[in-house]
Amino acid sequence: MTEIEDLLREDLRGKTPYGAPQLDVPVQLNTNENAYAIPDDVAAVIEQYLSRQVRSLNRYPDRDAVALREDLAAYLGQGLTVDHVWAANGSNELLQQLLQAFGGSGRTVLGFMPSYSMHPLLARGTGTAFVDAGREADYTLSPAFVRDAITEHDPDVVFLVSPNNPTGTALGADVIDAAYEAARGIVVIDEAYAEFARDPRSTALNRLEGRPRLVVTRTMSKAFAFAGARVGYLAADPELIEKLLLVRLPYHLSSLTQAAARGALACAAQLQAEVDELKHQRDRIVKNLRAKGLPVADSDANFVLLGGLADAAAVWRAVLEEGVLIRDVGLPGRLRITAGTEEETTALLDAFDTVMGRRPELFCANLWFASFTEKEQ
């Protein structure tokens, strides 16, 4: 009998699916989730929105999610309308739809790794060739670096992430403009963590006008504490959004998902207070780890990238033994830490105190660089 593996597409054979360690420990700071549960008053509003849909679940949802898109456009501002916004089951589905429409067999998508690890997986799943242009020595991207990579590889789609995961660094407008000017195809700015930016004005939404090939993707998973609901959205030229309808599945966004998202959007102001607290805890992590002599990059996301580790995997295990789960993203001498609640942050800092006291040989500051604006020597 033929093995299932033999029936699988050749480019998928031997591959493993996306995943992150899910361990039962007291403090989980590894997947960049919002550390705060939905507040009771916000939950009550969401429940009201949901209750209006329950009795009509025998009917299909609004195929185009018009009411939700109107609410999302109002939330984004920038003069955007319902025709400029599209929504799906998490930003991953949006990225997949973009590749289904503008990528595919014989086409390429250009990424700049290390970055969001789903980008090459989504490319593979849609039969799109993924090209990794890498990054500069300090993991940043300059306009010249991006422009040269696009000129060299001539991609059909370009993926840029701002703030970037796992580095936490945001892109300047000059980098976005350079990418758009150099590319002949679609330029996607993945802004999953945009609400955590130190300068909210840095969003690529500012660059949309007059750029019909530019796309800005967002998610409600992070700032809205909505990871379990799976709601992503994008902003782009209305003509581009029309093309995405060619590949979307019918009724892809359930009535309950649309209703829950609208309830959360109605409470955006309340949820922003928790975003501000997470930004405070993120900056607290940076300040305190630096005070311990550990180099940490400034971050515009809800996580930080820690360096100066002689053995990142050993530090990860040692911190885990203290009941704190962080993320080994595979970068030499570096680990990623999600910002948590005040109590979780205290536990994290205490864990590092303990590990540094017991295992000082695991830490080596010369593995890092002074800042993300200076090259490694």
Side-chain angles (χ1 to χ4, degrees):
M1 181 178 292
T2 304
E3 295 289 342
I4 295 297
E5 180 79 7
D6 296 332
L7 300 176
L8 191 65
R9 278 173 25 196
E10 289 187 11
D11 59 321
L12 296 180
R13 293 176 189 171
K15 305 297 183 182
T16 56
Y18 173 86
Q22 296 298 319
L23 304 175
D24 186 15
V25 296
V27 179
Q28 299 184 17
L29 302 176
N30 68 319
T31 54
N32 297 345
E33 296 165 321
N34 190 312
Y36 291 97
I38 296 289
D40 290 342
D41 57 342
V42 176
V45 173
I46 294 173
E47 288 165 0
Q48 291 175 5
Y49 274 77
L50 288 169
S51 67
R52 298 169 193 161
Q53 298 297 322
V54 170
R55 290 179 177 81
S56 60
L57 288 179
N58 59 309
R59 303 296 183 185
Y60 284 114
D62 176 5
R63 182 171 51 206
D64 295 326
V66 173
L68 172 58
R69 290 162 61 198
E70 288 175 341
D71 290 352
L72 287 166
Y75 168 71
L76 291 176
Q78 305 286 340
L80 298 175
T81 69
V82 61
D83 295 328
H84 295 90
V85 179
W86 182 240
N89 293 283
S91 57
N92 284 330
E93 185 179 27
L94 295 170
L95 297 173
Q96 182 181 62
Q97 289 176 348
L98 287 163
L99 289 178
Q100 288 174 320
F102 300 104
S105 178
R107 297 192 172 196
T108 60
V109 55
L110 180 68
F112 299 84
M113 308 301 282
S115 192
Y116 184 35
S117 59
M118 276 299 297
H119 288 166
L121 298 182
L122 290 167
R124 183 189 303 143
T126 58
T128 311
F130 183 82
V131 178
D132 175 17
R135 286 178 172 258
E136 300 189 62
D138 59 357
Y139 294 132
T140 61
L141 292 176
S142 67
F145 187 95
V146 170
R147 185 184 301 109
D148 289 347
I150 293 173
T151 300
E152 177 183 356
H153 298 289
D154 189 30
D156 298 278
V157 181
V158 178
F159 279 162
L160 290 165
V161 184
S162 182
N164 186 50
N165 179 9
T167 61
T169 49
L171 294 175
D174 55 347
V175 176
I176 296 170
D177 290 348
Y180 190 84
E181 292 164 4
R184 60 173 175 79
I186 305 300
V187 178
V188 182
I189 313 299
D190 185 340
E191 288 194 344
Y193 302 94
E195 286 91 346
F196 297 94
R198 289 170 293 168
D199 180 6
R201 298 170 298 178
S202 63
T203 172
L205 294 171
N206 297 325
R207 320 307 296 170
L208 282 174
E209 187 174 357
R211 296 177 174 85
R213 294 178 289 106
L214 185 64
V215 181
V216 180
T217 63
R218 293 280 189 96
T219 181
M220 294 184 70
S221 294
K222 314 301 181 181
F224 284 85
F226 231 51
R230 309 306 304 133
V231 181
Y233 56 102
L234 61 75
D237 186 87
E239 183 180 358
L240 188 149
I241 290 176
E242 287 181 8
K243 304 309 179 188
L244 294 182
L245 303 187
L246 298 172
V247 299
R248 64 97 186 267
L249 293 174
Y251 312 109
H252 70 294
L253 206 54
S254 78
S255 297
L256 295 180
T257 299
Q258 293 182 44
R262 294 193 66 207
L265 285 162
C267 302
Q270 295 98 304
L271 293 170
Q272 183 61 46
E274 295 183 341
V275 170
D276 291 340
E277 175 58 21
L278 288 171
K279 290 167 67 174
H280 172 72
Q281 296 304 322
R282 172 200 67 197
D283 295 341
R284 181 184 167 206
I285 293 171
V286 172
K287 178 180 178 180
N288 280 268
L289 289 182
R290 284 178 177 171
K292 301 178 193 301
L294 295 174
V296 187
D298 289 328
S299 174
D300 283 285
N302 70 333
F303 57 85
V304 300
L305 187 66
L306 164 70
L309 310 178
D311 188 337
V315 173
W316 180 86
R317 289 190 297 270
V319 172
L320 180 61
E321 291 173 359
E322 299 301 316
V324 180
L325 178 62
I326 56 179
R327 187 72 175 267
D328 185 345
V329 291
L331 298 180
R334 298 158 174 84
L335 294 170
R336 194 189 70 192
I337 304 170
T338 304
T341 64
E342 181 177 1
E343 294 76 17
E344 290 172 334
T345 300
T346 298
L348 167 78
L349 297 173
D350 288 346
F352 267 90
D353 273 340
T354 299
V355 174
M356 293 179 74
R358 291 178 179 172
R359 304 285 304 279
E361 74 279 5
L362 298 180
F363 300 86
C364 183
N366 63 9
L367 291 178
W368 193 252
F369 40 84
S371 73
F372 266 54
T373 60
E374 297 175 8
K375 300 292 186 292
E376 287 181 302
Q377 301 300 316

